[in-house]
Amino acid sequence: MLFVLVAQTAAGQGALLTARLKADVAVVSLSMVETSEKLLVKSAYDGQMAQVRFDLRIYHKGKGFLGIAGDRIIREKTIEQYGRWDPFSGRFIITDTEGHQWTTPRAEEYTKRLLSLSDTVITGIARDEESYLLARVGLKRVKLQVPFNLLDLFLPETKIVTPWVRWDFNFGEQS
């Protein structure tokens, strides 16, 4: 089964979640939508690094009061990607926390790849317990280094975090 969810902030930025369930594995794709790609590319051309953080959490539903209390987290996965422009090669470079690197000379490909996480596998989902996935995307258009990161408190326009998107696992409809 393929499931798609979109959550948006008042400013229009949002997260698009696509998920498939196979046995005890969820295959998740997550991307940020309605983001000013021109500002992202301009800051890269200005020599600034962008950071995108994808947060994925799997919870087991608790049996607490009215079924809402007592949910517990069983899996958490955070993936970060960093994007920048290399003026010497004339290419955009994206590096993730696992050390993989991807390059392109095209701004459209850069923003699409930087703001998207494709086919990430999350394992260990128990079939006998009710579970759900929460996902969100955060973007820092200008990644500042220590000690300059204190300026993040005064530059909120460089940071966007989407609302959490929820997907309930349904083991009766697998692909």
Side-chain angles (χ1 to χ4, degrees), residues 9-147:
T9 63
Q13 289 87 13
L16 174 66
L17 171 66
T18 308
R20 296 186 316 271
L21 189 59
K22 293 184 176 186
D24 65 343
V25 174
V27 181
V28 177
S29 295
L30 182 63
S31 62
M32 182 177 271
V33 294
E34 301 297 325
T35 303
S36 177
E37 295 174 0
K38 289 181 182 180
L39 284 176
L40 193 57
V41 171
K42 182 186 178 317
S43 63
Y45 283 141
D46 289 343
Q48 299 164 336
M49 181 179 290
Q51 174 189 17
V52 180
R53 179 181 169 138
F54 302 93
D55 294 314
L56 305 166
R57 295 179 183 169
I58 296 179
Y59 290 85
H60 279 256
K61 291 181 184 176
K63 304 297 184 211
F65 178 69
L66 297 176
I68 56 173
D71 292 358
R72 68 185 197 287
I73 190 166
I74 58 162
R75 293 270 185 274
E76 185 171 18
K77 190 170 195 173
T78 299
I79 299 168
E80 293 181 349
Q81 295 186 150
Y82 301 92
R84 65 182 176 85
W85 169 254
D86 180 18
F88 301 110
S89 67
R91 299 178 72 82
F92 292 96
I93 300 172
I94 298 173
T95 307
D96 67 17
T97 49
E98 296 175 350
H100 301 108
Q101 198 172 68
W102 183 83
T103 66
T104 182
R106 299 184 52 208
E108 308 86 39
E109 290 177 13
Y110 165 71
T111 56
K112 183 177 179 182
R113 178 74 180 236
L114 183 64
L115 299 174
S116 299
L117 180 66
S118 298
D119 296 331
T120 297
V121 175
I122 302 175
T123 60
I125 303 164
R127 295 171 126 296
D128 57 343
E129 296 189 41
E130 290 185 62
S131 304
Y132 60 92
L133 168 72
L134 290 181
R136 74 174 175 187
V137 184
L139 166 66
K140 284 186 181 178
R141 191 170 43 87
V142 179
K143 172 73 172 128
L144 298 173
Q145 300 299 321
V146 177

